[in-house]
């Protein structure tokens, strides 16, 4: 078995190779200094993978990484491996999993149809809707990243973990079980696509250290409001933790209310504090 990674997931790819006991194959992403003058992607796999099981790792965010991944699949397939297992740590465009208006593109299905070409199986993580795996015609599996969050929090000085809304309760339960911490949840009401409010709820947080846990931090609005509520109720320290850290628009400004922000290596950022490589490695082993 060998591991190949796109430029969005090099660190995770190296970690996955270590977890699997598999060599990491280097890849070149530029043919000329600065890349092609028109910004088009370039890839070249720099090792021999003929006859090998290849684990190909690439997050599909931002958009150019999708094109890079399609090129990588083609490059690896041309080297005649025995098998290609595609790991998509963060599945971009996965939120549009159904049509709400006539004429809308079903982006999750479109991406699944194209990314599966030339691969034998797919692993991904933290889908907006677990049903998205059904868009793939090859075997596809969603791997939970919550145990990785739990491992990170287990050795932290945290009194309990909190779900920012009902939708995150299933995540916080899994994290709490791994971390060995008690948990609670806030009740959120969404007013529109950009505005939420929390229903009044008294929590036993005065003087305590609390971790807000969710699957993804995008604009940071929900987490920031939850952190403000916790601080208003006397929390001493608020840590925001998520599997995916997108941090779009002015997310970091909003998250200034938090004392710490931590995310996994599915999308590398300044908040990356822990890895989901063990989760993907365990899932891959079950298919061998």
């Amino acid at each position: 078995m060998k591991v190949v990674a796109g430029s969005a997931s090099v660190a995770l790819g190296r970690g996955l190779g270590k977890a699997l006991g598999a060599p990491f194959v280097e890849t070149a992403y530029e043919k000329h200094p600065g890349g092609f003058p028109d910004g088009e992607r370039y890839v070249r796999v720099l090792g021999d993978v003929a006859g090998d099981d290849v684990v190909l790792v690439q997050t599909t965010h931002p958009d150019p990484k999708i094109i890079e991944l399609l090129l990588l699949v083609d490059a690896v397939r041309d080297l005649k491996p025995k098998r290609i297992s595609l790991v998509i740590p963060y599945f971009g465009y996965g939120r549009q999993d159904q049509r709400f208006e006539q004429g809308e593109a079903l982006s999750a299905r479109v991406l699944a149809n194209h990314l599966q070409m030339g691969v034998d199986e797919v692993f991904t993580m933290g889908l907006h809707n677990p049903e998205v795996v059904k868009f793939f015609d090859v075997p596809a599996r969603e791997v939970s990243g919550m145990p990785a969050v739990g491992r990170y929090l287990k050795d932290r000085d945290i009194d309990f973990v909190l779900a920012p809304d009902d939708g995150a309760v299933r995540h916080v339960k899994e994290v709490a079980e791994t971390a060995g911490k008690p948990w609670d949840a806030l009740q959120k009401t969404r007013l529109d696509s950009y505005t939420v409010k929390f229903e009044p709820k008294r929590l036993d947080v005065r003087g305590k250290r609390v971790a807000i846990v969710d699957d993804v931090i995008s604009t940071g609005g929900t987490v920031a409001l939850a952190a403000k509520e916790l601080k208003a109720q006397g929390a001493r320290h608020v840590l925001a933790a998520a599997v995916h850290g997108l941090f779009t628009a002015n997310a970091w400004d909003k998250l200034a209310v938090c004392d710490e922000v931590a995310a996994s290596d599915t999308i590398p950022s300044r908040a990356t504090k822990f890895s989901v490589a063990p989760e993907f490695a365990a899932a891959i082993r079950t298919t061998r």
Side-chain angles (χ1 to χ4, degrees):
M1 183 183 294
K2 293 179 180 177
V3 177
V4 176
S7 62
S9 301
V10 172
L12 176 55
R14 292 185 184 280
L16 187 52
K18 184 176 181 180
L20 290 168
F24 180 80
V25 179
E26 298 290 343
T27 300
Y29 308 108
E30 293 184 352
K31 189 171 185 177
H32 309 287
F36 289 120
D38 57 4
E40 291 183 355
R41 310 304 296 172
Y42 169 89
V43 298
R44 181 188 174 202
V45 179
L46 300 178
D48 181 19
V49 298
D52 292 316
D53 280 3
V54 174
V55 177
L56 176 55
V57 189
Q58 172 80 321
T59 274
T60 54
H61 173 82
D63 288 4
K65 305 305 181 183
I66 298 172
I67 301 300
E68 185 178 287
L69 177 53
L70 294 174
L71 298 178
L72 267 173
V73 172
D74 179 76
V76 170
R77 178 56 65 188
D78 192 56
L79 293 173
K80 296 179 170 48
K82 179 181 178 182
R83 177 186 181 92
I84 298 179
S85 299
L86 175 59
V87 174
I88 309 174
Y90 175 75
F91 186 77
Y93 288 92
R95 296 187 185 189
Q96 184 78 26
D97 52 34
Q98 57 183 302
R99 289 189 176 91
F100 299 95
E101 302 286 347
Q102 184 177 358
E104 286 184 337
L106 198 55
S107 62
R109 186 176 67 185
V110 172
L111 263 290
N113 287 341
H114 285 80
L115 295 176
Q116 70 185 352
M117 294 171 59
V119 308
D120 298 285
E121 61 182 350
V122 174
F123 300 87
T124 189
M125 180 172 283
L127 292 170
H128 175 67
N129 179 0
E131 295 295 303
V132 165
V133 295
K134 294 181 179 179
F135 289 141
F136 290 94
D137 296 320
V138 299
R141 175 179 172 184
E142 181 188 21
V143 179
S144 175
M146 293 304 155
V149 180
R151 284 197 311 274
Y152 175 73
L153 296 179
K154 186 174 183 178
D155 297 325
R156 306 280 303 185
D157 183 16
I158 295 295
D159 294 303
F160 73 93
V161 294
L162 181 78
D165 53 42
D166 290 341
V169 166
R170 64 187 177 97
H171 301 313
V172 83
K173 284 182 177 179
E174 192 173 1
V175 169
E177 182 177 354
T178 302
K181 311 281 187 182
W183 68 274
D184 207 330
L186 289 170
Q187 278 80 50
K188 179 182 77 174
T189 300
R190 180 165 291 281
L191 303 179
D192 56 42
S193 298
Y194 302 97
T195 310
V196 299
K197 71 173 184 177
F198 288 104
E199 301 299 329
K201 180 179 181 179
R202 298 304 302 175
L203 300 166
D204 183 20
V205 296
R206 183 164 297 279
K208 294 185 178 180
R209 298 172 64 90
V210 185
I212 304 169
V213 172
D214 213 340
D215 57 341
V216 58
I217 298 176
S218 183
T219 65
T222 295
V223 169
L225 283 176
K228 289 178 182 177
E229 178 65 21
L230 291 171
K231 289 292 184 75
Q233 294 192 29
R236 178 163 60 95
H237 186 96
V238 176
L239 184 158
V243 175
H244 303 310
L246 285 169
F247 307 116
T248 60
N250 62 336
W252 283 108
D253 292 336
K254 296 176 183 176
L255 293 169
V257 66
C258 299
D259 298 287
E260 294 180 75
V261 180
S264 82
D265 51 0
T266 60
I267 305 172
S269 74
R270 74 193 219 197
T272 299
K273 304 288 179 60
F274 55 93
S275 179
V276 294
E279 280 62 48
F280 278 120
I284 291 168
R285 289 193 192 97
T286 64
T287 67
R288 296 303 188 269

